[in-house]
Amino acid sequence: RKEVEQDPGPFNVPEGATVAFNCTYSNSASQSFFWYRQDCRKEPKLLMSVYSSGNEDGRFTAQLNRASQYISLLIRDSKLSDSATYLCVVSYLNTGFQKLVFGTGTRLLVSP
Amino acid sequence: DGGITQSPKYLFRKEGQNVTLSCEQNLNHDAMYWYRQDPGQGLRLIYYSQIVNDFQKGDIAEGYSVSREKKESFPLTVTSAQKNPTAFYLCASTRTLGSYEQYFGPGTRLTVT
């Protein structure tokens, strides 16, 4: 079983739609959670951290459910520029450093 | 502008040759990392370094070597012992080993034929 599991997609949505991605993780010792965005053939960039109480950044809302070991990302009012792969990332303490474990990513395609 | 540079962007090599990928950062970060990314797989950690002259193996270190002679630089050598070297290689850094946010370089796409 993968440490971090995501639906690879692609999710095809029209502009203006609301879309949600889910992610599950297997290590109950995971301490921190993130969503990264990766454009085609580019490096990943941090989109947002995910806090236990849930958090919002503009059109993006992230939720964490520690009991179910489940993380979600909601994008409202999708833009063409949101087309990318979204990586779910968890971190835990491993031999003295915060190891990041990356999911394989969920691909989003927003069409006009 | 502070950031991480990797060169070259694309690299082609023949099987059996060693190749060194460059990674330089001017963020004054202590910790640096190397990952590889393959289609359909998440990023996998190859090596990491907390400080100069110190580095540790990650999950898939076999067939790779690194050095950390300067704080700014963390080159990765892909040796001929690496069975499947063709991949997208990403270098990253954090302020310290305990920092969460990793800053990535633009990556090097290595193709070995």
Side-chain angles (χ1 to χ4, degrees), chain A residues 27-99:
Chain A
N27 188 340
S28 59
S30 297
Q31 296 174 314
S32 298
F33 310 87
F34 310 90
W35 284 100
Y36 275 71
R37 171 194 168 125
Q38 186 173 24
D39 292 300
C40 190
R41 304 178 83 81
K42 302 274 191 180
E43 74 274 24
K45 292 186 178 176
L46 180 65
L47 178 67
M48 60 196 299
S49 301
V50 186
Y51 303 119
S52 296
S53 54
N55 49 297
E56 193 173 301
D57 182 1
R59 298 181 293 108
F60 298 84
T61 300
Q63 299 274 358
L64 168 65
N65 184 322
R66 283 188 186 268
S68 303
Q69 296 183 194
Y70 168 99
I71 305 159
S72 66
L73 177 68
L74 182 79
I75 305 175
R76 289 182 299 278
D77 189 22
S78 298
K79 312 290 185 195
L80 294 176
S81 58
D82 293 334
S83 296
T85 297
Y86 292 83
L87 308 178
C88 176
V89 183
V90 306
S91 82
Y92 58 85
L93 197 59
N94 178 286
T95 57
F97 87 104
Q98 285 292 340
K99 181 178 178 180

Side-chain angles (χ1 to χ4, degrees), chain A residues 96-98, chain B residues 31 33 94 96-100:
Chain A
F97 87 104
Q98 285 292 340
Chain B
Y33 312 79
T94 54
T96 67
L97 204 61
S99 303
Y100 294 117

Side-chain angles (χ1 to χ4, degrees), chain B residues 33-91:
Chain B
Y33 312 79
W34 273 106
Y35 294 89
R36 71 175 274 169
Q37 188 175 32
D38 297 278
Q41 298 203 41
L43 275 69
R44 292 183 290 167
L45 183 64
I46 303 172
Y47 267 98
Y48 63 98
S49 168
Q50 181 176 5
I51 54 170
V52 173
N53 293 322
D54 177 72
F55 47 82
Q56 306 294 330
K57 292 182 179 180
D59 299 319
I60 54 163
E62 187 175 345
Y64 299 98
S65 65
V66 293
S67 62
R68 187 91 187 271
E69 296 175 4
K70 298 187 300 182
K71 185 175 184 177
E72 305 79 21
S73 179
F74 191 40
L76 173 76
T77 297
V78 185
T79 75
S80 55
Q82 167 49 234
K83 296 284 186 283
N84 298 295
T86 295
F88 186 40
Y89 289 88
L90 289 155
C91 178

Side-chain angles (χ1 to χ4, degrees), chain B residues 6-47:
Chain B
Q6 291 185 243
S7 61
K9 191 169 182 176
Y10 297 96
L11 192 53
F12 299 88
R13 280 292 182 271
K14 294 287 187 189
E15 202 173 311
Q17 293 179 333
N18 289 358
V19 59
T20 297
L21 311 185
S22 160
C23 176
E24 304 277 331
Q25 54 98 0
N26 61 2
L27 298 165
N28 199 32
H29 284 175
D30 287 331
M32 297 185 75
Y33 312 79
W34 273 106
Y35 294 89
R36 71 175 274 169
Q37 188 175 32
D38 297 278
Q41 298 203 41
L43 275 69
R44 292 183 290 167
L45 183 64
I46 303 172
Y47 267 98

